[in-house]
Amino acid sequence: MRPGARLAEAQHAAGGSVHTYVVTWRAAAAPRTLGACHAIELPFVFGTGKSPLVRSLTGLGEDGYRLTQQMQRSWVQFARTGEPGHARLPSWPAFEPSSRPTMILGRRCELAEAPLDPDRKLLARWHGEA
């Protein structure tokens, strides 16, 4: 989380555009231990959810296939236009440090303002940052 937040801030400060997201899909194989683990979004982005090995981790069903369609459409839209938003998602504005708009991608997709701010601020203090 901390490196991603710092990267978004740096990109914005340099005049670039960045869109942030958090994936909340919990790993079916071990939802209490892994939760929404690192790289859980990859089967959705690449459409590999039907693979037996991947399916044992993600447990994809109707909600998973819907998320796959939404994420693939976002990544393609972003590659084409620089904007990840599309008709099947809420409005997805570019990152702004004051409000930190972040798309929550999971069983439900919604835009949130600074959803992990308490954690981000705690980690910044832990590392001696302002």
Side-chain angles (χ1 to χ4, degrees):
M1 176 190 80
R2 184 170 167 266
R6 292 181 72 195
L7 184 59
E9 292 164 357
Q11 181 74 7
H12 181 270
S17 178
V18 63
H19 293 78
T20 57
Y21 67 92
V22 172
V23 177
T24 60
W25 189 272
R26 299 182 73 73
R32 292 179 191 242
T33 357
L34 291 177
C37 60
H38 178 70
I40 192 74
E41 74 272 18
L42 296 180
F44 300 100
V45 172
F46 294 108
T48 58
K50 291 183 181 180
S51 162
L53 179 61
V54 173
R55 191 176 190 142
S56 69
L57 177 65
T58 60
L60 292 180
E62 187 177 321
D63 288 343
Y65 294 123
R66 183 174 39 252
L67 182 58
T68 295
Q69 291 173 348
Q70 290 171 321
M71 289 181 74
Q72 286 181 336
R73 194 168 185 180
S74 288
W75 268 244
V76 168
Q77 183 73 3
F78 183 75
R80 286 184 180 154
T81 69
E83 298 289 333
H86 55 82
R88 293 184 184 171
L89 283 179
S91 175
W92 190 345
F95 176 82
E96 173 65 43
S98 62
S99 60
R100 298 181 174 279
T102 303
M103 185 61 69
I104 307 298
L105 298 167
R107 294 192 186 282
R108 288 189 30 211
C109 296
E110 59 190 354
L111 187 73
E113 286 195 4
L116 301 173
D117 230 31
D119 297 332
R120 181 187 63 80
K121 289 176 180 176
L122 178 65
L123 288 171
R125 281 196 304 272
W126 179 271
H127 290 279
E129 300 167 5

